[in-house]
Amino acid sequence: MKGEKIMGTKNVTFTDSQIELAHGAGGKASRKLIDGLLVPYLMKKNEELADVAIVPMANNRVAFTTDSYVVSPLTFNGGSIGELAVNGTVNDLAMGGAKPLAIVSTLIIEEGLPSDVLEREVKAMGLAAEQAGVSVVGGDTKVVEHNHADKLFITTAGIGLIDERVALSAKRVEPGDKIILSGPIGDHGITILLARGELDLEADIKSDTRSVWPFVSKIIDIAGPGIKWMRDPTRGGVATALNELAIDANVTVELQDKLIKIHPAVRGSCEILGLDPLHIANEGQFIAVVSPEYEKPILNAMKEIPGGEEVECIGEIQKGERNIVIAHSQYGGTRSVDMLVGDPLPRIC
Amino acid sequence: MKGEKIMGTKNVTFTDSQIELAHGAGGKASRKLIDGLLVPYLMKKNEELADVAIVPMANNRVAFTTDSYVVSPLTFNGGSIGELAVNGTVNDLAMGGAKPLAIVSTLIIEEGLPSDVLEREVKAMGLAAEQAGVSVVGGDTKVVEHNHADKLFITTAGIGLIDERVALSAKRVEPGDKIILSGPIGDHGITILLARGELDLEADIKSDTRSVWPFVSKIIDIAGPGIKWMRDPTRGGVATALNELAIDANVTVELQDKLIKIHPAVRGSCEILGLDPLHIANEGQFIAVVSPEYEKPILNAMKEIPGGEEVECIGEIQKGERNIVIAHSQYGGTRSVDMLVGDPLPRIC
């Protein structure tokens, strides 16, 4: 702690004295915590704590991932924590180029939770797993005293076999590569915000939670190693995901604002609240960076899959090792798009 | 809910109206929740929610497991939540006959947690992983508001490749098979109880948390498929684990009380508190049921491994499909040993 090196080889740089909500928001503070504290103690040299890890196993590459879900409220327009917990892990595997194979799950339950709430969420998990074509194969249940958890937290972990045609790496991203976004952004985050009822706002909007594997499976068939990088822009939104790409790939990411689809209700809510839609969490969208020759075939194929009609190429990788994301507005201006700082929307997933 | 069948094929039999601490204690109430609610919604027909699942993958058998840790207090004599979270998952894999290969982990943190507490636990996780010879390869961090979690919950999931010589199944257990217990029982549970300081008791006792893989690896070398069943007796203790065996294998399990090692401080604490040491959680012990010809070679080999000196054969599988566990006392009496009912020690792991 406090920046000194501990145990000789551990380069611990995390100096915040206590954990704040922002450390869990997926933006800058999260990255500080992960890179400054978790990676030094948990990882061997030159590894990173990935959303989805690649584990070599008997001549195969196994994708392995986990996420905890603490969303509040438990249910919202378009979904609930149980559905989110399954789809989120399915999507992390998909982002690794892996067909989801099996899921395990734990429940941390607050004492006194009505059983019908638990039943509703377990049912939602079962349905989401069935729809995603994956089995829940094991789990664990813990119960803690009243006020020692908030109703229900669900953690899922998943494994999948990585398609042999897949060769994802930020290091392979180069100028001219195209940035594909699967659909409109911000629906999930704004839906949660409205579901809390703390704001005097109403809007006809619902969470986009779904499995993105059908799309990913299709574009792997089309482009194989022509897909260089994928990410689901959950906490921290599209802006944070692309800033991480800009850093990891050592490039400049250039976006065209007018090509980024945002439902009017999301845009309106963001304007009222002073939020950037590019920072809002999504649970059923993904970004793929692909070689330019695959742009059109991928767009055409995704539009034919139900739910993929609004896919768009939103920008391009530029020359220049500036490690930033810039966006051109439809009125000719250019702005720098930063990672999420702070946590405008805690417990979004 | 309320016992009716839902969705045609779902045989939901869980009828308790709300979730109590006992549902997380690993005993009878937990089994009711799992079999009556989780399995019907989450599992395909004829599967069960196992401590460790076997996932077929490209001609291999992959072991896949997860557990959440909510132990209170976070630290105790002999260990802490971080160490427990790694060893627990390593041990679940070991119980499936799998060398631990990779772990992923999530942290659910209460806002305001001092960073040095988090650092201590992350460090403990790193050390435990190093000692167990396993890598932490990915993770997730969530932060919730004050009073919406109790300091820190850790969830780990692990994968491992199942040794090809291993053929574990309760169905293979038969009369005459020997029951091997790796060491003295109850240390972990009683240590946690004393660490809470709610009782006016002090005793020189510490948690037995450790990786049991070195022992399991050795006995697989010796007996291979001669090992028929293994289980780490955590929540619910040895009594609950063996009752589950008696049911799953459709046999009678017979124990000799005098062969079950219990440290005097554990025995004394249990006597004062009216607890049965056979119901107390362990975090560094395991039970193996083996063909009788392997009893002596396994005992001899385990005694040569540091920490294995107190291994003992504590009983035998009997004829008779009575699905019960009976214990003979050293004074000639015989008693029935039931599963844990209720939760005398909540949040033990």
Side-chain angles (χ1 to χ4, degrees):
Chain A
M1 203 57 25
K2 313 283 182 261
E4 83 271 38
K5 290 195 184 188
I6 294 179
M7 300 170 61
T9 58
K10 307 294 184 190
N11 190 13
V12 174
T13 59
F14 185 75
T15 56
D16 299 353
S17 68
Q18 64 176 16
I19 305 303
E20 310 287 356
L21 286 171
H23 290 117
K28 277 198 173 167
S30 294
R31 184 129 183 169
K32 257 172 69 179
L33 173 64
I34 293 169
D35 292 344
L37 186 66
L38 304 187
V39 169
Y41 283 118
L42 296 181
M43 309 300 289
K44 291 178 185 162
K45 225 175 159 183
N46 298 325
E47 285 177 339
E48 61 177 271
L49 270 178
D51 279 343
V52 54
I54 301 172
V55 182
M57 189 184 282
N59 297 323
N60 294 289
R61 292 177 301 166
V62 174
F64 187 22
T65 186
T66 188
D67 271 317
S68 282
Y69 293 84
V70 299
V71 66
S72 173
L74 294 180
T75 61
F76 40 83
N77 201 6
S80 69
I81 189 171
E83 194 177 351
L84 218 54
V86 169
N87 287 341
T89 281
V90 163
N91 290 347
D92 276 343
L93 292 174
M95 293 301 95
K99 180 170 171 18
L101 195 62
I103 283 181
V104 290
S105 173
T106 73
L107 309 171
I108 297 177
I109 307 171
E110 183 185 13
E111 182 184 20
L113 184 78
S115 297
D116 54 1
V117 171
L118 182 62
E119 175 167 16
R120 184 190 67 209
E121 294 311 324
V122 172
K123 191 170 165 179
M125 293 178 74
L127 276 173
E130 200 176 312
Q131 281 167 7
V134 64
S135 292
V136 178
V137 295
D140 179 41
T141 304
K142 293 292 194 301
V143 182
V144 299
E145 306 88 337
H146 188 58
N147 283 337
H148 282 167
D150 189 14
K151 299 182 188 73
L152 176 64
F153 301 147
I154 302 180
T155 301
T156 48
I159 56 174
L161 206 53
I162 298 174
D163 191 290
E164 5 182 86
R165 295 164 293 180
V166 165
L168 297 165
S169 167
K171 304 288 176 231
R172 293 186 55 231
V173 170
E174 57 194 339
D177 286 348
K178 300 293 184 181
I179 302 161
I180 310 277
L181 176 61
S182 62
I185 62 168
D187 291 6
H188 178 75
I190 297 301
T191 298
I192 300 297
L193 190 68
L194 298 180
R196 288 185 190 152
E198 294 160 5
L199 299 167
D200 197 14
L201 272 180
E202 280 187 37
D204 182 22
I205 192 81
K206 63 175 188 171
S207 170
D208 59 355
T209 180
R210 61 175 177 177
S211 160
V212 300
W213 173 247
F215 302 108
V216 173
S217 168
K218 185 72 190 174
I219 73 172
I220 291 173
D221 283 344
I222 291 170
I227 309 166
K228 299 184 173 179
W229 184 88
M230 286 193 288
R231 186 69 60 86
D232 52 337
T234 55
R235 283 179 299 171
V238 168
T240 301
L242 289 178
N243 268 282
E244 294 195 340
L245 171 65
I247 294 166
D248 295 344
N250 199 23
V251 295
T252 297
V253 173
E254 192 181 51
L255 305 178
Q256 303 295 335
D257 271 341
K258 68 176 175 206
L259 300 174
I260 300 171
K261 290 179 180 157
I262 303 168
H263 286 136
V266 171
R267 192 184 295 280
S269 301
C270 282
E271 274 171 15
I272 291 166
L273 299 165
L275 299 172
D276 184 342
L278 289 168
H279 283 150
I280 307 297
N282 311 279
E283 290 290 339
Q285 306 302 338
F286 71 101
I287 306 166
V289 174
V290 304
S291 287
E293 67 269 29
Y294 294 111
E295 176 195 341
K296 289 285 178 293
I298 284 175
L299 292 179
N300 291 338
M302 279 186 62
K303 282 175 184 166
E304 281 176 19
I305 302 173
E309 299 81 2
E310 297 190 83
V311 65
E312 192 59 81
C313 175
I314 61 166
E316 191 175 305
I317 305 299
Q318 295 297 319
K319 284 184 192 161
E321 303 174 354
R322 293 172 60 202
N323 306 132
I324 59 165
V325 179
I326 56 171
H328 299 288
S329 85
Q330 45 199 318
Y331 311 109
T334 298
R335 64 195 169 102
S336 167
V337 177
D338 204 359
M339 270 193 195
L340 177 67
V341 178
D343 192 359
L345 297 174
R347 298 182 58 190
I348 212 72
C349 60
Chain B
M1 200 61 24
K2 313 281 183 265
E4 83 268 40
K5 290 196 185 188
I6 296 180
M7 299 170 61
T9 58
K10 309 292 185 189
N11 190 13
V12 174
T13 58
F14 185 74
T15 56
D16 299 353
S17 68
Q18 65 175 15
I19 304 302
E20 310 286 355
L21 287 171
H23 290 117
K28 276 197 175 170
S30 294
R31 185 130 183 166
K32 256 172 68 178
L33 173 63
I34 294 169
D35 293 344
L37 186 65
L38 304 187
V39 169
Y41 283 118
L42 297 180
M43 309 301 289
K44 292 179 183 160
K45 224 175 160 183
N46 297 325
E47 285 178 336
E48 60 177 274
L49 270 177
D51 278 343
V52 56
I54 301 172
V55 182
M57 188 183 282
N59 297 321
N60 293 290
R61 292 177 300 168
V62 174
F64 187 22
T65 186
T66 189
D67 271 317
S68 282
Y69 292 84
V70 298
V71 65
S72 173
L74 295 179
T75 61
F76 40 82
N77 202 7
S80 70
I81 190 172
E83 193 176 351
L84 218 54
V86 170
N87 287 341
T89 281
V90 163
N91 290 347
D92 276 342
L93 293 173
M95 293 302 94
K99 181 172 173 10
L101 194 61
I103 283 180
V104 290
S105 173
T106 73
L107 309 171
I108 297 176
I109 307 172
E110 183 185 11
E111 184 184 20
L113 184 78
S115 297
D116 54 1
V117 171
L118 182 62
E119 176 167 15
R120 184 190 67 210
E121 294 312 324
V122 173
K123 191 170 164 179
M125 292 178 75
L127 276 173
E130 199 176 312
Q131 282 167 7
V134 65
S135 293
V136 178
V137 295
D140 179 42
T141 305
K142 293 292 195 302
V143 183
V144 298
E145 305 89 337
H146 189 59
N147 283 337
H148 282 168
D150 189 13
K151 298 182 187 73
L152 175 65
F153 301 146
I154 302 179
T155 300
T156 49
I159 55 173
L161 206 53
I162 298 174
D163 192 289
E164 0 182 271
R165 296 164 292 181
V166 164
L168 296 166
S169 167
K171 305 287 176 230
R172 294 186 55 231
V173 169
E174 57 193 338
D177 286 346
K178 300 294 184 179
I179 301 160
I180 310 278
L181 176 61
S182 61
I185 62 168
D187 290 7
H188 178 75
I190 297 300
T191 298
I192 300 297
L193 190 69
L194 298 180
R196 288 185 189 154
E198 294 160 5
L199 299 168
D200 197 15
L201 273 180
E202 281 187 35
D204 182 21
I205 192 81
K206 63 176 187 171
S207 169
D208 58 355
T209 179
R210 61 176 176 177
S211 160
V212 299
W213 173 247
F215 302 108
V216 173
S217 169
K218 185 71 189 175
I219 73 172
I220 291 173
D221 284 343
I222 290 170
I227 309 167
K228 299 184 174 178
W229 183 88
M230 286 194 287
R231 186 69 60 89
D232 53 337
T234 55
R235 282 179 299 172
V238 168
T240 301
L242 289 178
N243 268 282
E244 294 195 338
L245 171 65
I247 294 166
D248 295 343
N250 199 23
V251 296
T252 297
V253 174
E254 191 180 52
L255 304 178
Q256 302 295 335
D257 271 342
K258 68 176 176 206
L259 300 175
I260 300 171
K261 288 177 182 162
I262 303 167
H263 286 136
V266 171
R267 191 183 295 279
S269 301
C270 282
E271 275 172 14
I272 291 167
L273 299 165
L275 299 171
D276 185 340
L278 288 168
H279 283 149
I280 308 295
N282 311 278
E283 290 290 339
Q285 306 303 339
F286 70 101
I287 305 166
V289 174
V290 304
S291 286
E293 67 269 30
Y294 293 111
E295 175 196 343
K296 288 287 178 294
I298 284 175
L299 292 179
N300 291 338
M302 280 188 60
K303 282 176 183 166
E304 281 175 19
I305 302 173
E309 301 81 1
E310 297 190 83
V311 65
E312 192 60 80
C313 174
I314 61 166
E316 192 175 304
I317 305 299
Q318 295 296 319
K319 284 183 192 161
E321 303 174 355
R322 294 172 61 201
N323 306 129
I324 58 164
V325 179
I326 56 171
H328 299 289
S329 85
Q330 47 199 314
Y331 311 109
T334 298
R335 65 195 168 101
S336 167
V337 177
D338 204 359
M339 271 195 193
L340 178 66
V341 178
D343 191 1
L345 298 173
R347 297 181 59 189
I348 212 73
C349 61

